[in-house]
């Protein structure tokens, strides 16, 4: 047989497989209807193992197990969508779509970490042209200000293109009550600032927040004998330098801080890579989904067993949903337990996406829908 004839045989076989799968899904629908009436659970691992042991034999056993595993996943997903089409998360999303205004607000009271001149403030000003900003010393306090209704929104750094994720924010996200309503990707430009008249060779200590120090690591290595000190915030470090009694302290921060605190720029553009961007998220207590929202964030844990992550990622792939980010963080107090954070391109306006989210919220006790939002730059 030549290749053309072989491919024709494959096409015939594929058509038969597709017809059988469609027939199987019709039967699965009947199973779902039965379970809906009786309240039976969706997953039946014993039944699945019986099928695998019966049909997966011979030299292709491993491949058959892989294929039937995907068939089982699809069947469970279909049943879940059928049974959970209207659950608490679906209702919450429906209310948000109905109640959220058509335009993102221009004016609001917003919580930011740091002090005047911080990058979070700059991100806030980009999102809210008329903002009443309340500054807090810690990321956790930003979450609390939003949770307690002190501020309508909060701005938090999430990840940097050069330095990676802001671990403290990710860890706090697991325990806080909030929703992401917008994000912004902002170019980060660092400078070294010191008191007026101070020369670079006089500097004995450089202060800034850890991510900023990491983003400027190459420049800082060139400063021989200089102490590097982690500080709570880039702008707070600039404020400290301005108020310090000596002349040896300098801060890594935005060059804008020079005007805020009366400092000189000793070196500009000191980041390791000029392609240096930070993603900031805007959070609220209330679920808000504005028109044009095309990015979804969620978090959940998975069973510590082979294939659990593979099966979940396969469900996104089956719907044509592009994953932008997958981050895992250890759960404190639990051995080898992880919380997974997903960002993917999608909209809850799509019924298939809502069905997936509804299923995940029912089948995973740790599932949290973080928001459906638009990212701007």
């Amino acid at each position: 047989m030549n290749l053309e004839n072989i491919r024709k045989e494959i096409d015939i076989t594929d058509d038969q497989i597709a017809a059988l799968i469609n027939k199987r899904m019709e039967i699965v629908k009947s199973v779902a209807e039965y379970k809906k009436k009786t309240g039976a659970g969706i997953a039946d691992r014993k039944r699945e193992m019986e099928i695998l042991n019966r049909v997966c034999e011979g030299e292709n056993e491993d491949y058959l197990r892989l294929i039937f595993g995907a068939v089982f996943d699809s069947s469970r997903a279909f049943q879940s969508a059928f049974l959970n089409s209207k659950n608490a998360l679906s209702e919450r999303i429906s209310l948000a779509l109905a109640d959220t205004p058509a335009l993102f607000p221009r004016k609001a009271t917003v919580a930011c970490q740091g002090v005047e001149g911080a990058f979070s403030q700059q991100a806030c000003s980009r999102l809210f042209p008329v903002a009443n900003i309340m500054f807090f010393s810690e990321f956790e306090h930003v979450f609390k200000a939003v949770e307690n209704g002190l501020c309508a929104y909060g701005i938090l750094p999430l990840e940097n293109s050069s330095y990676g994720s802001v671990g403290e924010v990710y860890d706090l996200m697991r325990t806080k009550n909030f929703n992401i309503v917008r994000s912004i990707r902002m170019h980060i430009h660092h400078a070294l600032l010191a008191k007026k008249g101070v020369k670079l060779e006089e500097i004995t200590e450089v202060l800034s927040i850890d991510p900023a120090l990491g983003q400027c690591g190459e420049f800082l290595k060139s400063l021989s004998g200089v102490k590097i000190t982690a500080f709570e915030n880039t702008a707070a470090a600039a404020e400290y330098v301005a108020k310090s009694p000596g002349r040896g302290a300098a801060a890594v921060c935005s060059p804008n801080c020079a005007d805020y605190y009366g400092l000189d720029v000793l070196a500009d553009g000191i980041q390791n890579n000029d392609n240096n961007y930070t993603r900031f998220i805007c959070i609220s207590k209330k679920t808000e989904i504005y028109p044009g929202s095309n990015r979804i964030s969620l978090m959940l844990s998975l069973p510590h067993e082979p294939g659990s992550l593979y099966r979940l990622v396969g469900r996104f792939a089956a719907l044509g949903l592009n994953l932008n980010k997958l981050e895992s963080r250890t759960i404190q107090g639990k051995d080898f337990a992880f919380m997974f954070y997903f960002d993917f391109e999608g909209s809850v306006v799509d019924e298939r996406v809502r069905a997936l989210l509804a299923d995940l919220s029912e089948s995973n006790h740790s599932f949290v829908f973080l928001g459906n939002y638009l990212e701007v730059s």
Side-chain angles (χ1 to χ4, degrees), residues 254-294:
S254 167
N256 294 343
C257 288
D259 292 333
Y260 280 119
Y261 299 108
L263 301 173
D264 277 349
V265 176
L266 297 187
D268 200 5
I270 62 173
Q271 61 275 1
N272 300 339
N273 186 344
D274 196 47
N275 187 33
N276 188 36
Y277 290 86
T278 294
R279 280 187 68 217
F280 293 86
I281 54 173
C282 177
I283 64 171
S284 72
K285 183 176 182 180
K286 181 181 177 183
T287 304
E288 299 176 356
I289 304 174
Y290 289 90
S293 295
N294 59 5

Side-chain angles (χ1 to χ4, degrees), residues 237-257:
E239 183 181 45
Y240 173 86
V241 169
K243 295 178 179 178
S244 62
R247 292 169 55 86
V252 171
C253 56
S254 167
N256 294 343
C257 288

Side-chain angles (χ1 to χ4, degrees), residues 8 23 45 50 69 94 110 115 142 241 274 278 289 368 373:
K8 286 180 180 178
K23 181 178 179 180
R45 300 295 184 185
E50 289 173 352
S94 295
V110 186
V115 295
V142 174
V241 169
D274 196 47
T278 294
I289 304 174
V368 180
Y373 55 94

Side-chain angles (χ1 to χ4, degrees), residues 95-156:
L95 286 173
L97 289 172
D99 295 344
T100 303
L103 296 177
F104 193 76
R106 289 176 50 82
K107 182 179 181 180
T109 301
V110 186
C112 290
Q113 188 265 349
V115 295
E116 197 83 17
F119 286 109
S120 291
Q121 182 208 2
Q122 296 178 39
C124 177
S125 298
R126 295 268 296 278
L127 290 175
F128 300 95
V130 185
N132 175 24
I133 301 177
M134 298 184 67
F135 290 103
F136 297 88
S137 60
E138 299 179 16
F139 293 134
E140 184 172 13
H141 296 164
V142 174
F143 280 105
K144 287 182 176 179
V146 173
E147 282 182 335
N148 297 332
L150 182 62
C151 295
Y153 300 97
I155 303 293
L156 293 156

Side-chain angles (χ1 to χ4, degrees), residues 48-70 72:
E48 291 177 4
M49 288 304 300
E50 289 173 352
I51 295 173
L52 289 175
N53 292 334
R54 188 182 75 248
V55 302
C56 299
E57 295 181 349
E59 61 178 338
N60 294 317
E61 178 180 349
D62 292 341
Y63 299 107
L64 286 169
R65 287 184 178 274
L66 183 64
I67 292 168
F68 270 90
F72 295 154

Side-chain angles (χ1 to χ4, degrees), residues 143 158 169-176 178 299 341 370:
F143 280 105
L158 195 62
V169 173
Y170 270 95
D171 291 337
L172 286 167
M173 286 166 64
R174 190 169 61 86
T175 61
K176 301 303 179 183
F178 71 99
M299 58 183 176
Y341 298 83
L370 298 176

Side-chain angles (χ1 to χ4, degrees), residues 63-343:
Y63 299 107
L64 286 169
R65 287 184 178 274
L66 183 64
I67 292 168
F68 270 90
V71 170
F72 295 154
D73 289 338
S74 299
S75 297
R76 286 194 299 269
F78 178 88
Q79 293 180 64
S80 296
F82 181 82
L83 297 173
N84 302 318
S85 59
K86 291 186 178 180
N87 66 354
L89 178 59
S90 296
E91 293 299 321
R92 174 183 155 198
I93 289 173
S94 295
L95 286 173
L97 289 172
D99 295 344
T100 303
L103 296 177
F104 193 76
R106 289 176 50 82
K107 182 179 181 180
T109 301
V110 186
C112 290
Q113 188 265 349
V115 295
E116 197 83 17
F119 286 109
S120 291
Q121 182 208 2
Q122 296 178 39
C124 177
S125 298
R126 295 268 296 278
L127 290 175
F128 300 95
V130 185
N132 175 24
I133 301 177
M134 298 184 67
F135 290 103
F136 297 88
S137 60
E138 299 179 16
F139 293 134
E140 184 172 13
H141 296 164
V142 174
F143 280 105
K144 287 182 176 179
V146 173
E147 282 182 335
N148 297 332
L150 182 62
C151 295
Y153 300 97
I155 303 293
L156 293 156
L158 195 62
E159 60 182 327
N160 176 264
S161 58
S162 301
Y163 193 71
S165 299
V166 183
E168 183 182 350
V169 173
Y170 270 95
D171 291 337
L172 286 167
M173 286 166 64
R174 190 169 61 86
T175 61
K176 301 303 179 183
N177 179 26
F178 71 99
N179 296 275
I180 303 174
V181 298
R182 187 138 297 190
S183 66
I184 181 169
R185 183 173 178 269
M186 195 169 74
H187 184 258
I188 302 298
H189 185 92
H190 289 299
L192 185 70
L193 273 58
K195 284 187 173 182
K196 296 242 181 231
V198 172
K199 306 292 185 184
L200 183 60
E201 54 268 23
E202 296 180 69
I203 300 303
T204 58
E205 183 180 19
V206 173
L207 308 96
S208 195
I209 196 169
D210 270 330
L213 294 172
Q215 292 163 34
C216 302
E218 294 302 316
F219 172 81
L220 296 177
K221 287 178 184 178
S222 70
L223 303 179
S224 179
V226 173
K227 180 182 178 182
I228 308 299
T229 302
F231 215 74
E232 65 189 45
N233 179 269
T234 55
E239 183 181 45
Y240 173 86
V241 169
K243 295 178 179 178
S244 62
R247 292 169 55 86
V252 171
C253 56
S254 167
N256 294 343
C257 288
D259 292 333
Y260 280 119
Y261 299 108
L263 301 173
D264 277 349
V265 176
L266 297 187
D268 200 5
I270 62 173
Q271 61 275 1
N272 300 339
N273 186 344
D274 196 47
N275 187 33
N276 188 36
Y277 290 86
T278 294
R279 280 187 68 217
F280 293 86
I281 54 173
C282 177
I283 64 171
S284 72
K285 183 176 182 180
K286 181 181 177 183
T287 304
E288 299 176 356
I289 304 174
Y290 289 90
S293 295
N294 59 5
R295 189 173 187 132
I296 295 175
S297 294
L298 56 88
M299 58 183 176
L300 50 77
S301 61
L302 291 170
H304 192 53
E305 62 186 34
S308 60
L309 180 58
Y310 166 81
R311 289 192 295 270
L312 178 59
V313 171
R315 296 189 61 182
F316 288 97
L319 295 178
L321 301 172
N322 182 42
L323 285 172
N324 300 109
K325 184 178 178 68
L326 171 57
E327 175 102 2
S328 65
R329 302 287 299 178
T330 55
I331 301 175
Q332 294 182 357
K334 296 184 179 181
D335 292 337
F336 302 106
F338 298 88
M339 183 67 76
F340 291 88
Y341 298 83
F342 290 82
D343 281 354

